[in-house]
Amino acid sequence: MSHSNIQIFDTTLRDGEQVPGCKLNKEQKLIIAERLDTLGVDVIEAGFPVSSPGDFASVEAISKIVKNATVCGLTRSVENDIKVAGEALRYAKKSRIHTGIGTSDSHIKFKFNSNRDAIIERAVRAVRYAKTFTEDVEFYAEDAGRTDNDYLARVCEAVIAAGATVLNIPDTTGYCLPNEYGAKIKYLMENVKGIEKAILSCHCHNDLGLATANSIEGVINGARQIECTINGIGERAGNTALEEVVMILKQHPTLNLDTNINTSLLYSTSQMVSEHMGIYTQPNKAIVGANAFAHSSGIHQDGVIKNRETYEIIDPKDVGVTESAIVLTARSGRAALAYRAKNVGYELTKLQLDVVYASFLDFADVKKEINDSDIHQIIEGSSIYSQIISA
Ligand code: KIV
Ligand code: ZN
């Protein structure tokens, strides 16, 4: 079966930057954009140019330095937004305008005090106008997750006819279940006239912790782009985490879905974004958390030391982590202690290990985590130190 390429649309600098308390300056945004380009993302959503002069300047500066990715700017379906985005993107080698409007009944009634037909007219006008600045126009149907599928299909048909080449189907509120989101994408693939002229894009929020699962269901059902952020940062509970969807597709080759991401840069990119944004990544975060490749219970450590794959489904080097960590705590076993002791220079026989292990447990009960200098202290203080051979 042939492989399909999934475009990675990174919105760290737009949806990600909407995180309360996070404010990146222009220089920081440029550093992150350059890194995203090297990482291999296909599209960088650089900002919302009309929102402030600072955002305009950042999008313009990013457009000038990005070498490979398409640079994208967000707009509402408002003429001036689109004009300003067009100006901010004018230096980009490849530019995209991302315009759209709310399509759920709740958005139509409460946000716009409008009706379904009038919303389609506005959407079409916005796409046509955006096309006067760039060929590459993406349309978002905000709150598509709660939009009636028949109406959503009509919206999609109308904007494709107006020239949209990417249709973003956001689960703006993070409400959909994976099977519902997948069924929505399937419905659009099967019912939108002209769908072969565009691709569908998944843009999922994580309010119920389902953003990654929903995005994967989306691409399994025919979407060809995923919108995501580094470390899953974003409004409220965040967006789909780039590193998660990329590694899911890599670790499941039977899905036949590939990305252009250089996965060995994932860990360092995660660290870089977290430092610039001042938002620390939880230790148990999938793929890039400090504990993602750390083993601390005796049973797991014994397995990993014998063969890494007993408890690891990803080779840490594939995401840029040098090696799995064997963390020594009072829950660790002899195998882990012998392994770490060898790493710092001691070859312990079985009998020596029994003696040293008893002192190790006493030490570890007091101190939560045992580091390399603690190991030296434990071994040098043991009654059999003179008999221990250096490794
Ligand atoms: O979540 C959302 O609906 C969005 C759109 C503006 C694309 O971020
Ligand atoms: Zn969003």
Side-chain angles (χ1 to χ4, degrees):
M1 198 180 163
S2 72
H3 283 233
S4 295
N5 186 265
I6 300 299
Q7 300 275 295
I8 296 295
F9 175 114
D10 181 279
T11 184
T12 305
L13 297 174
R14 200 279 298 170
D15 227 348
E17 210 241 0
Q18 292 174 210
V19 171
C22 154
K23 197 80 202 96
L24 294 171
N25 61 37
K26 190 169 105 185
E27 283 61 45
Q28 289 173 311
K29 287 186 184 176
L30 283 168
I31 294 170
I32 292 175
E34 227 169 9
R35 167 45 81 104
L36 292 171
D37 201 24
T38 312
L39 180 67
V41 309
D42 301 282
V43 184
I44 297 173
E45 186 162 53
F48 182 11
V50 84
S51 64
S52 73
D55 223 38
F56 180 95
S58 298
V59 175
E60 187 177 57
I62 290 169
S63 298
K64 289 180 183 164
I65 60 140
V66 167
K67 295 194 177 75
N68 307 306
T70 295
V71 182
C72 174
L74 185 82
T75 81
R76 295 165 295 179
S77 283
V78 170
E79 198 172 300
N80 189 50
D81 283 25
I82 297 168
K83 181 166 155 282
V84 171
E87 277 166 24
L89 293 165
R90 68 194 181 284
Y91 298 110
K93 284 206 173 86
K94 292 183 271 177
S95 66
R96 175 179 297 179
I97 291 180
H98 187 192
T99 190
I101 196 161
T103 53
S104 64
D105 286 337
S106 127
H107 278 226
I108 294 174
K109 185 167 170 212
F110 299 114
K111 261 177 79 171
F112 302 114
N113 187 24
S114 186
N115 61 63
R116 287 181 168 191
D117 289 340
I119 290 294
I120 291 184
E121 273 171 37
R122 256 184 90 171
V124 165
R125 264 203 313 277
V127 170
R128 284 207 186 113
Y129 187 51
K131 289 291 270 193
T132 65
F133 295 93
T134 173
E135 260 311 297
D136 188 350
V137 174
E138 172 168 341
F139 176 82
Y140 64 85
E142 195 180 9
D143 206 15
R146 293 186 301 173
T147 300
D148 160 62
N149 283 350
D150 286 351
Y151 176 64
L152 189 57
R154 275 180 56 210
V155 175
C156 290
E157 273 172 24
V159 295
I160 291 175
T165 44
V166 183
L167 304 178
N168 179 6
I169 310 300
D171 183 21
T172 306
T173 57
Y175 180 71
C176 287
L177 293 171
N179 67 323
E180 287 169 352
Y181 190 75
K184 191 173 279 288
I185 297 293
K186 187 168 190 284
Y187 181 87
L188 296 174
M189 290 296 292
E190 287 170 357
N191 292 284
V192 171
K193 275 191 230 86
I195 193 68
E196 66 289 346
K197 294 189 211 133
I199 62 164
L200 293 175
S201 179
C202 311
H203 178 115
C204 298
H205 279 267
N206 206 29
D207 299 67
L208 291 171
L210 292 172
T212 293
N214 284 346
S215 301
I216 296 297
E217 272 301 309
V219 292
I220 287 174
N221 283 284
R224 285 295 168 264
Q225 178 176 278
I226 295 178
E227 309 199 359
C228 45
T229 60
I230 301 293
N231 300 333
I233 53 153
E235 288 263 356
R236 308 183 307 279
N239 289 57
T240 303
L242 180 148
E243 60 279 2
E244 293 177 12
V245 287
V246 166
M247 289 312 291
I248 289 169
L249 299 184
K250 185 175 166 81
Q251 297 308 112
H252 285 274
T254 50
L255 292 176
N256 293 311
L257 299 170
D258 303 323
T259 71
N260 297 324
I261 299 295
N262 175 353
T263 64
S264 68
L265 296 176
L266 285 173
Y267 181 68
S268 54
T269 307
S270 154
Q271 298 275 97
M272 173 201 235
V273 167
S274 139
E275 276 158 29
H276 281 294
M277 289 198 164
I279 295 173
Y280 293 98
T281 312
Q282 70 198 64
N284 59 326
K285 166 82 187 60
I287 318 294
V288 291
N291 293 346
F293 299 100
H295 306 274
S296 66
S297 86
I299 295 171
H300 289 205
Q301 290 176 329
D302 184 48
V304 168
I305 290 166
K306 286 175 177 148
N307 183 331
R308 191 189 57 73
E309 288 177 17
T310 51
Y311 287 98
E312 272 181 6
I313 56 148
I314 298 172
D315 185 338
K317 292 190 192 66
D318 283 353
V319 298
V321 173
T322 33
E323 58 180 355
S324 323
I326 299 294
V327 181
L328 288 181
T329 69
R331 305 289 150 260
S332 300
R334 285 174 176 70
L337 178 60
Y339 173 85
R340 286 279 303 271
K342 191 169 178 187
N343 280 357
V344 295
Y346 304 105
E347 192 84 68
L348 301 174
T349 65
K350 195 173 171 314
L351 276 172
Q352 289 165 349
L353 183 59
D354 286 341
V355 176
V356 174
Y357 186 66
S359 339
F360 160 79
L361 284 183
D362 291 340
F363 207 104
D365 267 336
V366 179
K367 196 170 179 252
K368 259 188 160 348
E369 201 178 312
I370 303 297
N371 60 30
D372 287 352
S373 80
D374 298 329
I375 299 175
H376 284 293
Q377 202 183 322
I378 293 166
I379 293 181
E380 284 165 19
S382 83
S383 54
I384 49 146
Y385 176 52
S386 59
Q387 301 157 30
I388 295 175
I389 303 169
S390 296

